[in-house]
Amino acid sequence: MKRLYGVTVAALTPMNEDGSKVDHAAIEDYVDFLVEKGIHGIFALGTTGEGLLLSIEERKKTLESFVRAVDGRVVLIAHCGALRIDEVRDLLLHARSVGANGASIVSPFYYRYRPEELVEFFLKCSKEIEDFPIYLYNIPALTNNWISAEIATKVHKERPNVVGIKDSSQDLLHVLSLINDTPESFDVVVGSDRAFLTVLQMGAKGCVSGPGAVFPEFFVQLYKQFQSKDLESARETQNKLTKVSLTILDGASIPVLKMVLNWRGIKAGGCRAPLKFLPEDQARQLRERLEKVLEEVGLNL
């Protein structure tokens, strides 16, 4: 059973110029770029991947393209979250059948749910899919529903193949609770780029990063330094990583991430409507700021 560790990137989904269609041919080149940079995993069709803007059929076909492109070289996790339990189950079963290494389920959104309802949601989604690794996905700024350590533990005890959680709460105390107050068999990976080194020291298994899907270099370097216990160098790398991440808005803007990836010569295409690129003058200003920061930290577009 392959599990997430180290540097997992929240992959963008390449599209045509107006974002109306997924560019399946471009996925292979993009995955090759990421793998060659030394990443350990790909989290496909999540928030950064515009997964919830795609139809169920588009999500399936896009995942199949990622499976072919990855070809077993790194861990591939398919985000299968949706509001309806039957859609989540459909996506989970598909992800397992086409060869993804595991899946992730974001907490249900729009409505507010009690803790016991969230537990029930995850248990029903994962029923009879007990031979496939699943990660819960906590991003309360977008869902309004927090996955607590208590919720995660209850789900994990009922479904041992729910092996961990991707936490994007940006709350280090919450991350600490997830690490300390869940069983040893339950993994925590974190989407807080500016705290990557910190969460590794706290006991997280790794990151799942949007900015890392565009600039994976510093993430990979930092993880290697952490593994070799060169913490002084890791702190220096964290500072560089933070400067770059802040310049590209901490990964909060999918249009910005896609623009920057296009600038790096990797075809990302456009965004699914209503998302759209920055106006030309703002894009020019962003590129100027980014090029200046990259020069400071020793990296090129």
Side-chain angles (χ1 to χ4, degrees), residues 199-239:
V199 299
L200 287 174
Q201 292 175 305
M202 290 164 61
K205 298 298 183 182
C207 70
V208 180
S209 169
V214 178
F215 290 111
E217 292 92 338
F218 287 133
F219 291 86
V220 172
Q221 184 180 8
L222 188 155
Y223 187 71
K224 287 179 179 178
Q225 292 163 339
F226 176 77
Q227 289 293 96
S228 64
K229 297 181 170 52
D230 184 0
L231 295 183
E232 183 176 351
S233 296
R235 282 191 288 270
E236 292 175 2
T237 302
Q238 178 68 74
N239 289 337

Side-chain angles (χ1 to χ4, degrees), residues 87-299:
E87 290 182 347
V88 177
R89 288 184 54 77
D90 184 23
L91 290 166
L92 286 172
L93 290 166
H94 172 264
R96 184 178 64 175
S97 71
V98 300
N101 299 118
S104 181
I105 310 172
V106 75
S107 56
F109 44 90
Y110 187 75
Y111 302 103
R112 291 184 182 274
Y113 296 94
R114 300 192 307 276
E116 60 269 27
E117 292 171 329
L118 292 175
V119 171
E120 185 74 2
F121 175 83
F122 291 122
L123 291 178
K124 285 190 173 182
C125 286
S126 57
K127 184 179 180 181
E128 297 175 354
I129 312 177
E130 297 174 2
D131 56 345
F132 190 53
I134 294 173
Y135 288 82
L136 308 179
Y137 180 11
N138 184 50
I139 185 166
L142 300 183
T143 65
N144 289 311
N145 290 296
W146 285 76
I147 304 175
S148 66
E150 183 180 6
I151 290 171
T153 297
K154 287 181 178 179
V155 175
H156 178 62
K157 286 182 176 179
E158 288 285 329
R159 301 276 190 270
N161 65 303
V162 177
V163 295
I165 187 168
K166 172 188 185 291
D167 183 82
S168 296
S169 68
Q170 312 300 319
D171 184 331
L172 290 182
L173 290 177
H174 187 71
V175 172
L176 191 61
S177 175
L178 290 171
I179 293 169
N180 290 340
D181 301 332
T182 56
E184 285 290 323
S185 53
F186 189 81
D187 293 343
V188 178
V189 291
V190 182
S192 298
D193 305 308
R194 285 183 278 163
F196 184 26
L197 178 58
T198 300
V199 299
L200 287 174
Q201 292 175 305
M202 290 164 61
K205 298 298 183 182
C207 70
V208 180
S209 169
V214 178
F215 290 111
E217 292 92 338
F218 287 133
F219 291 86
V220 172
Q221 184 180 8
L222 188 155
Y223 187 71
K224 287 179 179 178
Q225 292 163 339
F226 176 77
Q227 289 293 96
S228 64
K229 297 181 170 52
D230 184 0
L231 295 183
E232 183 176 351
S233 296
R235 282 191 288 270
E236 292 175 2
T237 302
Q238 178 68 74
N239 289 337
K240 293 177 180 179
L241 185 161
T242 296
K243 287 182 180 179
V244 175
S245 185
L246 284 171
T247 306
I248 57 175
L249 309 183
D250 268 347
S253 169
I254 296 167
V256 165
L257 292 177
K258 281 196 160 181
M259 290 172 65
V260 175
L261 189 62
N262 284 325
W263 292 342
R264 297 206 78 183
I266 306 300
K267 187 177 180 183
C271 302
R272 181 60 54 93
L275 296 173
K276 60 182 181 179
F277 285 161
L278 299 177
E280 187 175 339
D281 59 333
Q282 293 181 30
R284 184 179 64 254
Q285 292 170 13
L286 172 65
R287 181 159 186 162
E288 289 173 355
R289 291 195 303 272
L290 180 59
E291 288 177 341
K292 182 179 179 180
V293 168
L294 291 177
E295 184 178 359
E296 291 175 3
V297 301
L299 193 63

